[in-house]
Amino acid sequence: MPAALRKWLYASGSLTQQLTDLAGGKFRVEPVQEHFQRLSLVDANWMKMPYQHTSWVRESNLYGCEEQPWVKAKSIFPVLSLQKRARIFQHIGTKPIGWLLFQRTNPHCERRVVYLEEGWTRQSCYTWRGCKFIVQETFLPAFEHFIQNQQA
């Protein structure tokens, strides 16, 4: 794991705000796709949900002050959560999830860090207003290059 990336993988709080600060106020979300799928066994166990349960998945790219995306994000919302207060996340369009998630709240978060094909990834299981869901953020090469150049 690159040392410069370690603090980002284990940082608490809103990644949206942290990236916005790093990029001098610039930040945008580009939704890639939204779809329904069954929970994976690993994710179902982590959220203590039935394996057969359907979830709504949102995949998007997060951009800072460069043309290349910095983070590939994937959010997994069990349908049970979407029937409660978390249903607002299904209709946020190009707004970042962190914009709503950390607005006047500090949700409980369990985190794991893994290396996936696309790069170093942090997976966070949030409990927000009684709803559980997973946010996965993979830090892409463009982000690693940017933070390395910032330190040079």
Side-chain angles (χ1 to χ4, degrees), residues 37-57 74-78 110 112 114 116 121-126 132-136:
Q37 72 179 38
R38 293 209 184 272
L39 287 172
S40 72
L41 184 57
V42 171
D43 292 341
N45 286 339
W46 197 17
M47 289 190 284
K48 297 175 180 61
M49 296 254 175
Y51 169 64
Q52 308 83 359
H53 200 70
T54 300
S55 61
W56 176 73
V57 178
K74 180 178 181 180
S75 304
I76 304 166
F77 293 88
E110 295 176 46
R112 57 189 180 196
V114 297
L116 300 177
T121 302
R122 70 183 202 175
Q123 298 172 326
S124 305
C125 182
Y126 288 104
K132 280 197 167 214
F133 53 89
I134 294 173
V135 176
Q136 175 176 294

Side-chain angles (χ1 to χ4, degrees), residues 42-101:
V42 171
D43 292 341
N45 286 339
W46 197 17
M47 289 190 284
K48 297 175 180 61
M49 296 254 175
Y51 169 64
Q52 308 83 359
H53 200 70
T54 300
S55 61
W56 176 73
V57 178
R58 177 188 191 221
E59 297 180 47
S60 55
N61 291 321
L62 310 182
Y63 292 81
C65 55
E66 298 184 313
E67 290 184 30
Q68 295 296 316
W70 282 358
V71 175
K72 179 180 177 182
K74 180 178 181 180
S75 304
I76 304 166
F77 293 88
V79 171
L80 286 176
S81 290
L82 294 175
Q83 294 171 354
K84 298 179 183 177
R85 296 179 86 171
R87 69 184 175 276
I88 62 170
F89 291 108
Q90 196 173 5
H91 305 287
I92 61 174
T94 60
K95 290 182 184 144
I97 287 175
W99 183 78
L100 291 170
L101 183 60

Side-chain angles (χ1 to χ4, degrees), residues 1 16 33 36 38 47 50 55 65 67 85 87 101 104 107 111 116-118 126 134 141-144 147 149-150 152:
M1 171 185 312
T16 298
Q33 69 172 329
F36 287 94
R38 293 209 184 272
M47 289 190 284
S55 61
C65 55
E67 290 184 30
R85 296 179 86 171
R87 69 184 175 276
L101 183 60
R104 296 185 299 251
R111 174 142 320 134
L116 300 177
E117 187 176 316
E118 297 94 354
Y126 288 104
I134 294 173
F143 181 73
E144 287 190 54
I147 59 174
N149 290 337
Q150 293 289 74

